C-alpha cells in the first residue's frame, strides 16, 4: 500500500472543496504530484514535446499541459491542470480571430465537432479547417525572453527574470485579399508556475495598407462551472479553474478584476446539449479589448496584441488562489518585488528638500518623493529648472538617498484642442475624470517627451504618476497621436505603456494608481478612502490595518502603498495628524510598525520625519527592525484575523526558502490587556513537524505542528499595543 503524507491529504481535501473529486480515497488512486509548487517549484521545468506520429505538440511543465493537433490545422485539444487532473476544455475553437478590412478571419482551428459537452481525441481525425482560415506554415520553440529590460537598483526580494519556453505557430492567409499578412501566435510556458501567456503578432509584408479591427487573441470552449436549467450569463458562475489577466487594464480601481477590460464570458450556441434551456451557460471565453475597432496597418509594420496570462487554479480557497496570483507576479514581474523605504515630502523651497534628504539619511530611509503640492515641476524642462533638480538629485545621491517626484497627467483640463473629445457631444468633457487630456494630442505627446527629458537630464530615480491614462476614448480627428475614435484607446494606452517601459528600463521606480504592472509600474495604492485620513488617529489605526488586510489578497505587499498624514490632509484637526511628532510618538511608532510589519510602504507625508532626537531614535528603531527582518516581512502574507476593534487582529508572513520561515504580527486594539491562544497555520512556511517561535527576540520555544500544520500560540498583549513573533 502507498504511503500517503499529511501534506497530500491536505491537498486532497482542498481538491474536494474544489469539486473535482468526491473523496480523498478517490484522489489517492491518482498519480501524486512531486511537490506543492507554492512551497517548492524547482522540479517543474517547461518543455515542448513533439509527437510526429500523432501530429501533436505539447507544452508541459508538470503543472499544466496544453496539447495541440497541428494537422490539417492547429487546434488546442487538451488543456490539463496536472495538480488536480481537471480538464479545462469541452470543445475545440479557433486559436484566435482577427478582423481585417471589416471581415473576421479565424487563425487555426478545425470545424466538425457536433457534441460540445466534451471532446474526444479520436474525433479530431474527422474535423476540417475552414476555407478562409489562416493555416499554419511552421512552428518554432525558443526560450522565453523578458518583456522589459528592467534595471534593478532598489532593494527587491527577486532580481531574476522568469524562465521557460515559448512555442510559436506561424500562419498565412489563404485569401488573395490577405496577401502579405502573416500571423504568429505565441504560447509562453513558465518554469515553476501553472501559467501560460498567450499573445499574437501580425506582420504586413505586402504592399497594401490594411485596417485591423477586433483582435481576439484567445478563444476557449471551457467546461462550465455550473449547470442550471434557467439563468443568464450575468447570473451564472464563471469557470474558476483558471485565472485570466491581461496587460490591458485600467480605470484606477486598485484591483485587477475591476480594472479588467478584456475578459469576455459568452454563450456557445453550438453547445446544444447543455442543461440550460436557453443556451445561456457562460462557457465560451474570448479575450480582446472591445473599444478598438480600426487601426491603420501599413506596409512593413508589426502589430502586437495584448498579452493574456492564464494561471491555472487548483482550489477554491481564497488564500491559496491569492498566493498563486502573488507568486505569478513575483516571478514574471520581478520589478514589483522592489520595495524602497520612502518619505513623501511637501516642500516649498530647496532648503526643505535638503533637510528632508538629511533626515532620510539620518534615519535609514532610502528615498524621498516630492509629493503633490510640492515645488517640483517635472514638466518644466528649462535649463534653469533642470540644473536645480540635477544638483538636488546629486546631493541626495551623495547621501545614498534616491529622489523622485509626483506628476499628474489625467484629471486636469488643458485646452479644447488637447483634451479628450466626447464622441457623443463632439466637445471636451465626459472623460473618466470629467475633463482630461488626450495622450495622442500635441500636449499629450509633449508631456511624454518632457517626462523623458526631465528624468534623463536630472538623474531622478522615482516617478509618481498620478492619474495615468485611464482608458478614455477620443473622437478627435486632428490629434497627431491617433486617427480617430476607433484607434484612440489603443494608441493612447500604448503611449502610456511605452513611457513606463522606457522609465523602467532606466531604473526609474514608478508609483501609479492604475493597473500597469505588466508594463513596468512598481506600486499601486493599497486601496483606501482619502478623507478617512482626516479622522482621529485611533480610527486610522484600525482602518489602515483593514486596508492592509483587504488589499493584499491578490497584490503582494511590495505592490501596494498606504498613507500616513504627518500633517493635515483632507481636513481634520489635531486629533487626525501626527505633528508635532514628539507629542504622538506612540501612534507614530504603531502606524510605522503596522505598515512595515506588513511589508507595505506608506506615504509618510509632511515636512519632516522627526522633530526631536527622541523622535529620530523612534524612527530609527522601527527602520532598523524592518531592515533586519526585511526578507521575511516582504514575503507572502497569510491573513489571520481582520481588524474590527473588538479583539485581536493579525497576519502571518511565510517563506519556506528562508531560515526565518515566518513572522507573526499581532495587534490589540482594546483598552485592556488580553491573553489569547491563536491557531497559527504554518503549512506555507514549509515546516512539517516542529516550529521554533521567538516573541520580540526572547528565547525560542518549540511547538509541535498538528495534523493541520498548525501550532497553538498563547500571547499576552498590553492595551492598544502590538507584538511580533519570529518563526524558524
Amino acid at each position: 500500500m502507498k504511503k500517503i503524507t499529511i501534506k497530500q491529504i491536505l491537498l486532497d481535501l482542498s481538491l474536494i472543496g474544489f469539486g473535482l473529486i468526491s473523496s480523498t480515497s478517490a484522489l489517492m488512486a491518482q498519480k501524486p504530484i512531486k511537490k506543492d509548487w507554492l512551497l517548492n517549484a524547482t522540479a517543474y521545468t517547461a518543455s515542448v514535446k513533439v509527437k510526429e506520429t500523432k501530429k501533436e505538440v505539447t507544452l508541459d511543465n508538470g503543472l499544466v499541459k496544453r496539447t495541440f493537433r497541428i494537422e490539417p490545422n492547429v487546434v488546442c485539444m487538451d488543456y490539463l491542470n496536472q495538480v488536480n487532473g481537471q480538464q479545462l476544455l469541452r470543445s475545440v475553437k479557433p486559436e484566435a480571430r482577427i478582423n481585417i478590412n471589416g471581415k473576421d478571419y479565424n487563425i487555426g482551428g478545425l470545424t466538425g465537432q457536433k457534441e460540445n459537452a466534451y471532446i474526444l481525441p479520436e474525433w479530431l481525425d474527422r474535423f476540417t479547417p475552414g476555407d478562409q482560415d489562416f493555416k499554419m506554415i511552421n512552428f518554432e520553440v525558443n526560450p522565453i525572453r523578458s518583456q522589459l529590460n528592467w534595471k534593478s537598483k532598489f532593494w527587491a526580494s527577486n532580481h531574476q527574470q522568469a524562465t521557460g519556453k515559448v512555442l510559436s505557430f506561424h500562419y498565412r492567409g489563404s485569401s488573395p485579399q490577405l496577401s502579405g499578412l502573416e500571423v504568429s501566435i505565441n504560447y509562453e510556458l513558465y518554469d515553476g508556475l501553472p501559467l501560460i501567456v498567450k499573445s499574437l503578432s501580425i506582420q504586413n509584408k505586402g504592399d497594401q495598407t490594411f485596417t485591423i479591427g477586433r483582435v481576439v487573441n484567445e478563444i476557449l470552449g471551457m467546461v462550465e462551472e455550473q449547470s442550471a436549467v434557467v439563468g443568464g450569463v450575468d447570473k451564472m458562475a464563471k469557470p474558476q479553474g483558471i485565472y485570466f489577466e491581461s496587460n490591458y487594464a485600467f480605470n484606477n480601481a486598485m484591483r485587477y478584476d475591476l480594472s479588467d477590460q478584456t475578459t469576455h464570458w459568452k454563450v456557445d450556441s453550438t453547445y446544444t446539449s447543455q442543461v440550460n434551456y436557453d443556451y445561456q451557460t457562460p462557457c465560451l471565453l474570448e479575450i480582446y479589448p472591445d473599444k478598438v475597432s480600426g487601426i491603420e496597418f501599413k506596409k512593413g509594420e508589426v502589430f502586437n496584441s495584448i498579452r493574456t496570462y492564464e494561471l491555472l487554479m487548483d482550489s477554491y480557497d481564497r488564500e491559496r488562489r491569492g498566493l498563486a496570483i502573488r507568486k505569478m507576479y513575483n516571478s514574471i514581474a520581478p520589478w514589483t518585488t522592489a520595495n524602497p523605504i520612502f518619505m513623501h515630502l511637501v516642500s516649498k523651497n530647496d532648503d526643505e528638500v535638503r533637510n528632508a534628504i538629511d533626515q532620510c539619511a539620518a534615519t535609514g530611509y532610502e528615498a524621498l518623493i516630492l509629493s503633490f503640492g510640492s515645488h517640483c515641476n517635472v514638466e518644466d524642462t528649462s535649463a534653469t529648472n533642470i540644473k536645480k533638480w540635477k544638483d538636488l538629485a546629486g546631493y541626495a545621491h551623495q547621501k545614498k538617498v534616491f529622489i523622485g517626484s509626483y506628476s499628474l497627467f489625467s484629471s486636469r483640463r488643458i485646452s479644447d484642442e488637447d483634451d479628450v473629445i466626447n464622441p457623443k457631444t463632439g466637445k471636451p468633457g465626459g472623460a473618466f475624470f470629467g475633463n482630461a487630456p488626450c495622450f495622442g494630442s500635441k500636449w499629450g505627446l509633449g508631456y511624454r517627451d518632457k517626462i523623458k527629458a526631465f528624468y534623463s537630464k536630472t538623474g531622478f530615480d522615482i516617478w509618481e504618476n498620478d492619474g495615468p491614462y485611464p482608458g478614455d476614448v477620443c473622437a478627435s480627428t486632428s490629434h497627431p497621436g491617433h486617427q480617430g475614435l476607433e484607434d484612440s484607446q489603443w494608441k493612447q494606452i500604448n503611449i502610456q505603456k511605452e513611457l513606463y517601459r522606457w522609465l523602467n528600463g532606466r531604473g526609474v521606480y514608478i508609483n501609479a494608481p492604475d493597473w500597469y504592472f505588466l508594463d513596468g509600474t512598481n506600486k499601486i495604492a493599497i486601496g483606501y478612502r482619502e478623507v478617512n485620513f482626516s479622522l482621529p488617529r485611533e480610527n486610522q489605526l484600525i482602518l489602515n490595518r483593514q486596508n492592509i488586510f483587504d488589499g493584499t489578497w491578490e497584490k503582494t505587499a511590495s505592490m501596494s502603498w498606504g498613507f500616513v498624514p504627518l500633517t493635515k490632509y483632507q481636513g481634520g484637526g489635531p486629533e487626525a495628524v501626527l505633528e508635532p511628532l514628539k507629542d504622538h510618538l506612540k501612534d507614530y511608532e504603531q502606524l510605522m510598525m503596522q505598515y512595515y510589519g506588513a511589508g507595505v510602504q506608506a506615504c509618510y507625508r509632511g515636512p519632516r520625519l522627526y522633530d526631536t532626537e527622541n523622535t529620530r531614535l523612534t524612527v530609527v528603531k522601527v527602520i532598523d527592525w524592518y531592515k533586519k527582518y526585511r526578507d521575511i516581512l516582504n514575503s507572502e502574507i497569510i491573513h489571520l484575523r481582520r481588524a474590527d476593534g473588538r479583539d485581536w487582529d493579525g497576519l502571518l508572513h511565510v517563506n519556506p526558502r528562508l531560515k526565518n520561515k515566518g513572522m507573526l504580527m499581532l495587534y490589540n486594539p482594546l483598552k485592556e490587556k488580553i491573553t489569547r491562544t491563536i491557531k497559527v497555520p504554518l503549512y506555507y512556511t514549509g515546516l512539517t513537524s516542529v516550529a521554533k517561535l521567538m516573541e520580540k527576540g526572547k528565547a525560542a520555544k518549540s511547538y509541535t505542528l498538528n495534523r493541520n500544520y498548525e501550532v497553538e500560540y498563547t500571547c499576552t498583549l498590553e492595551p492598544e499595543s502590538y507584538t511580533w513573533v519570529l518563526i524558524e
Side-chain angles (χ1 to χ4, degrees):
M1 183 176 177
K2 289 184 179 179
K3 292 183 178 180
I4 306 297
T5 66
I6 295 175
K7 190 177 294 185
Q8 183 64 47
I9 291 172
L10 287 173
L11 179 61
D12 297 351
L13 292 172
S14 75
L15 301 179
I16 293 171
F18 198 51
L20 300 175
I21 57 174
S22 58
S23 68
T24 305
S25 60
L27 190 71
M28 288 178 181
Q30 297 184 19
K31 182 179 178 181
I33 62 172
K34 299 171 187 175
K35 288 184 178 179
D36 187 341
W37 68 277
L38 285 172
L39 295 177
N40 186 344
T42 56
Y44 303 108
T45 304
S47 66
V48 179
K49 303 170 185 176
V50 181
K51 291 185 178 179
E52 297 285 354
T53 56
K54 291 189 176 182
K55 305 172 184 177
E56 292 177 4
V57 179
T58 299
L59 284 161
D60 189 348
N61 67 356
L63 296 170
V64 55
K65 182 173 72 171
R66 188 164 181 170
T67 301
F68 303 87
R69 176 72 65 90
I70 60 173
E71 290 185 17
N73 209 353
V74 178
V75 69
C76 182
M77 54 176 281
D78 182 29
Y79 203 169
L80 182 68
N81 186 330
Q82 296 185 91
V83 176
N84 56 26
Q86 183 187 23
Q87 175 60 244
L88 298 172
L89 298 184
R90 56 169 181 79
S91 68
V92 298
K93 298 295 178 184
E95 290 307 296
R97 187 174 65 249
I98 61 176
N99 184 282
I100 302 293
N101 293 341
K103 183 177 179 180
D104 287 338
Y105 295 91
N106 290 331
I107 315 299
L110 296 171
T111 62
Q113 183 173 352
K114 300 187 185 311
E115 173 56 71
N116 280 270
Y118 58 94
I119 177 72
L120 299 181
E122 56 265 30
W123 294 353
L124 295 169
D125 295 330
R126 304 193 296 268
F127 296 173
T128 58
D131 293 338
Q132 299 293 312
D133 296 351
F134 277 68
K135 310 279 193 310
M136 187 197 76
I137 53 177
N138 56 54
F139 69 89
E140 60 181 318
V141 179
N142 292 291
I144 285 177
R145 293 182 300 175
S146 173
Q147 294 299 302
L148 275 75
N149 183 28
W150 174 44
K151 301 297 184 186
S152 173
K153 64 182 183 182
F154 298 91
W155 184 95
S157 59
N158 177 28
H159 291 272
Q160 303 299 316
Q161 296 280 5
T163 57
K165 300 289 185 183
V166 54
L167 170 64
S168 301
F169 291 111
H170 304 300
Y171 300 83
R172 187 174 293 149
S174 56
S175 170
Q177 294 91 337
L178 303 174
S179 177
L181 289 185
E182 292 187 3
V183 177
S184 297
I185 299 183
N186 308 302
Y187 303 82
E188 301 169 27
L189 177 63
Y190 285 79
D191 295 333
L193 295 168
L195 174 71
I196 290 177
V197 179
K198 187 175 179 183
S199 61
L200 175 157
S201 65
I202 310 172
Q203 296 184 64
N204 186 355
K205 296 182 176 181
D207 295 323
Q208 60 179 309
T209 296
F210 298 91
T211 298
I212 298 177
R214 176 167 293 172
V215 174
V216 184
N217 75 307
E218 181 63 295
I219 308 170
L220 294 172
M222 300 196 67
V223 175
E224 58 267 45
E225 179 69 15
Q226 64 178 181
S227 292
V229 175
V230 295
V233 174
D234 295 335
K235 294 183 179 180
M236 296 177 67
K238 313 302 187 293
Q240 297 296 303
I242 187 169
Y243 169 82
F244 294 98
E245 186 164 330
S246 80
N247 65 332
Y248 202 86
F250 39 75
N251 70 15
N252 293 64
M254 314 303 171
R255 294 172 50 105
Y256 176 77
D257 57 339
L258 300 177
S259 302
D260 175 37
Q261 307 291 323
T262 60
T263 306
H264 305 276
W265 288 103
K266 299 185 175 183
V267 299
D268 188 349
S269 60
T270 67
Y271 182 9
T272 56
S273 57
Q274 63 182 274
V275 170
N276 191 276
Y277 274 34
D278 296 320
Y279 305 132
Q280 293 299 299
T281 304
C283 56
L284 174 62
L285 173 84
E286 294 189 353
I287 302 288
Y288 58 86
D290 61 356
K291 292 183 179 178
V292 181
S293 56
I295 301 170
E296 187 178 60
F297 191 43
K298 298 179 181 178
K299 175 183 176 180
E301 291 185 337
V302 177
F303 171 91
N304 293 309
S305 76
I306 64 172
R307 292 169 53 79
T308 301
Y309 295 74
E310 305 177 8
L311 181 67
L312 274 59
M313 294 289 182
D314 57 35
S315 173
Y316 282 110
D317 178 70
R318 186 183 186 187
E319 194 75 87
R320 186 171 177 87
R321 293 174 73 88
L323 285 167
I325 296 170
R326 288 176 258 156
K327 174 87 168 182
M328 176 185 77
Y329 264 104
N330 285 340
S331 301
I332 65 168
W335 50 91
T336 64
T337 72
N339 206 8
I341 305 168
F342 57 79
M343 175 198 178
H344 252 229
L345 173 68
V346 184
S347 66
K348 301 183 185 68
N349 55 61
D350 297 355
D351 288 340
E352 290 181 342
V353 177
R354 290 190 182 89
N355 180 64
I357 292 170
D358 292 341
Q359 288 211 345
C360 285
T363 54
Y365 269 65
E366 297 164 342
L368 177 71
I369 301 177
L370 281 297
S371 189
F372 47 94
S374 293
H375 76 299
C376 182
N377 178 11
V378 297
E379 295 175 42
D380 181 356
T381 55
S382 66
T384 301
N385 195 54
I386 292 293
K387 183 182 185 305
K388 176 175 74 170
W389 290 107
K390 182 179 180 180
D391 290 346
L392 285 167
Y395 182 77
H397 295 156
Q398 288 175 8
K399 298 279 187 174
K400 299 188 182 325
V401 174
F402 297 113
I403 188 169
S405 182
Y406 171 96
S407 176
L408 177 69
F409 169 76
S410 198
S411 187
R412 60 193 282 193
R413 178 104 164 85
I414 304 300
S415 69
D416 287 352
E417 291 75 24
D418 294 298
D419 278 12
V420 166
I421 300 301
N422 189 329
K424 295 180 180 179
T425 66
K427 299 178 181 180
F432 189 87
F433 292 112
N435 283 99
C438 173
F439 227 143
S441 69
K442 183 179 179 180
W443 182 91
L445 297 174
Y447 175 86
R448 173 202 61 191
D449 295 342
K450 288 176 180 178
I451 297 301
K452 288 184 177 181
F454 186 91
Y455 277 79
S456 294
K457 295 175 181 179
T458 62
F460 266 39
D461 311 285
I462 300 173
W463 188 38
E464 186 154 286
N465 179 203
D466 197 0
Y469 169 66
D472 292 324
V473 295
C474 177
S476 172
T477 57
S478 62
H479 290 167
H482 69 96
Q483 285 193 309
L485 177 65
E486 292 78 11
D487 70 341
S488 63
Q489 188 182 79
W490 182 261
K491 292 294 181 67
Q492 288 185 83
I493 195 173
N494 278 291
I495 294 168
Q496 178 73 85
K497 288 182 178 184
E498 188 276 332
L499 177 55
Y500 284 151
R501 287 167 175 258
W502 185 90
L503 290 162
N504 185 285
R506 283 156 180 78
V508 176
Y509 189 93
I510 306 168
N511 289 345
D514 217 331
W515 210 269
Y516 284 95
F517 288 115
L518 297 173
D519 286 292
T521 62
N522 298 82
K523 201 183 290 292
I524 197 172
I526 199 166
Y528 50 72
R529 180 181 290 274
E530 289 189 310
V531 295
N532 287 352
F533 298 112
S534 66
L535 297 172
R537 289 183 299 277
E538 61 181 316
N539 297 69
Q540 292 185 45
L541 287 165
I542 299 293
L543 293 172
N544 286 359
R545 295 207 299 276
Q546 290 181 341
N547 294 340
I548 292 167
F549 195 92
D550 297 342
T552 52
W553 288 98
E554 289 84 24
K555 301 192 299 290
T556 65
S558 62
M559 293 166 69
S560 308
W561 80 68
F563 198 88
V564 174
L566 302 180
T567 54
K568 187 175 180 180
Y569 182 73
Q570 297 281 342
E575 74 285 353
V577 300
L578 290 167
E579 284 280 7
L581 302 174
K582 61 182 175 62
D583 295 338
H584 308 109
L585 276 184
K586 181 181 179 182
D587 289 343
Y588 192 15
E589 178 182 345
Q590 172 121 353
L591 281 164
M592 284 192 291
M593 281 299 298
Q594 60 189 44
Y595 273 119
Y596 289 119
V600 175
Q601 300 298 330
C603 301
Y604 296 89
R605 187 173 190 268
R608 56 190 177 180
L609 289 170
Y610 60 88
D611 51 4
T612 65
E613 178 62 10
N614 193 32
T615 305
R616 188 188 73 82
L617 292 174
T618 299
V619 175
V620 168
K621 181 181 72 171
V622 175
I623 296 301
D624 285 351
W625 173 83
Y626 172 69
K627 287 183 176 180
K628 181 178 180 179
Y629 298 110
R630 194 169 195 167
D631 288 339
I632 188 61
L633 290 171
N634 277 269
S635 297
E636 297 296 357
I637 287 175
I638 303 298
H639 299 76
L640 299 182
R641 188 177 190 278
R642 188 177 189 266
D644 59 10
R646 300 185 180 195
D647 206 340
W648 74 275
D649 60 270
L651 51 83
L652 170 70
H653 291 282
V654 295
N655 193 329
R657 296 175 297 281
L658 298 178
K659 178 180 182 293
N660 296 327
K661 297 187 180 300
M663 177 71 88
L664 184 63
M665 300 297 303
L666 301 174
Y667 301 91
N668 175 19
L670 303 177
K671 298 186 184 300
E672 60 188 47
K673 180 188 291 189
I674 62 172
T675 298
R676 296 290 184 268
T677 298
I678 299 165
K679 287 186 177 180
V680 186
L682 297 180
Y683 173 77
Y684 291 107
T685 65
L687 297 170
T688 57
S689 55
V690 176
K692 294 180 180 180
L693 276 67
M694 293 157 279
E695 184 171 352
K696 286 189 172 181
K698 298 176 183 177
K701 182 178 179 181
S702 295
Y703 292 79
T704 300
L705 279 68
N706 64 21
R707 290 177 62 86
N708 290 326
Y709 290 83
E710 299 169 334
V711 299
E712 291 192 351
Y713 182 72
T714 300
C715 67
T716 298
L717 289 164
E718 295 297 322
E720 299 177 312
S721 70
Y722 65 88
T723 193
W724 54 273
V725 182
L726 190 65
I727 301 170
E728 293 181 352

